[in-house]
Amino acid sequence: MSHTQHQKKKLIARISRLKGQLEAVERALEAERPCGDILQLLASIRGALNGLTGEVLDDHLHEHVLHAADEKARAEAVEEISEVLRTYIR
């Protein structure tokens, strides 16, 4: 079973909060709120998304790198993380 399945409820709850935050930005734009308010909402979304990403990444590292079944599986997990990080930091 995937480590994301173990934390499924918690991860889904975080995603639901992110959806709510995105909807708050939409409402703020519709209401023509000041750009400072909208920027603050966007910063909160970024922080929440970074937190979610960090949690999944941490679980992945523990499950697939630290506790890998063998060296081949470990190398594959490291390569996968490397690819994700290259995309993430662009």
Side-chain angles (χ1 to χ4, degrees):
M1 178 180 293
S2 171
H3 59 91
T4 54
Q5 295 304 310
H6 294 290
Q7 300 291 330
K8 182 178 179 177
K9 234 177 178 175
K10 185 173 157 184
L11 296 172
I12 297 289
R14 290 182 83 147
I15 289 169
S16 294
R17 285 192 297 278
L18 275 163
K19 287 179 186 177
Q21 289 176 302
L22 283 169
E23 290 167 356
V25 171
E26 183 177 23
R27 288 190 303 274
L29 289 168
E30 291 291 337
E32 298 180 6
R33 301 273 310 268
C35 59
D37 293 352
I38 293 167
L39 287 168
Q40 186 61 48
L41 291 168
L42 292 169
S44 295
I45 292 168
R46 182 180 176 138
L49 184 56
N50 284 342
L52 175 63
T53 302
E55 186 170 336
V56 174
L57 177 60
D58 187 59
D59 287 347
H60 180 83
L61 288 170
H62 281 88
E63 181 76 20
H64 300 289
V65 177
L66 186 61
H67 302 295
D70 55 40
E71 281 305 311
K72 182 177 185 240
R74 186 181 325 278
E76 289 171 359
V78 168
E79 182 58 33
E80 184 177 39
I81 288 296
S82 186
E83 288 177 31
V84 168
L85 289 175
R86 277 193 292 275
T87 302
Y88 188 76
I89 60 174
R90 280 188 201 161

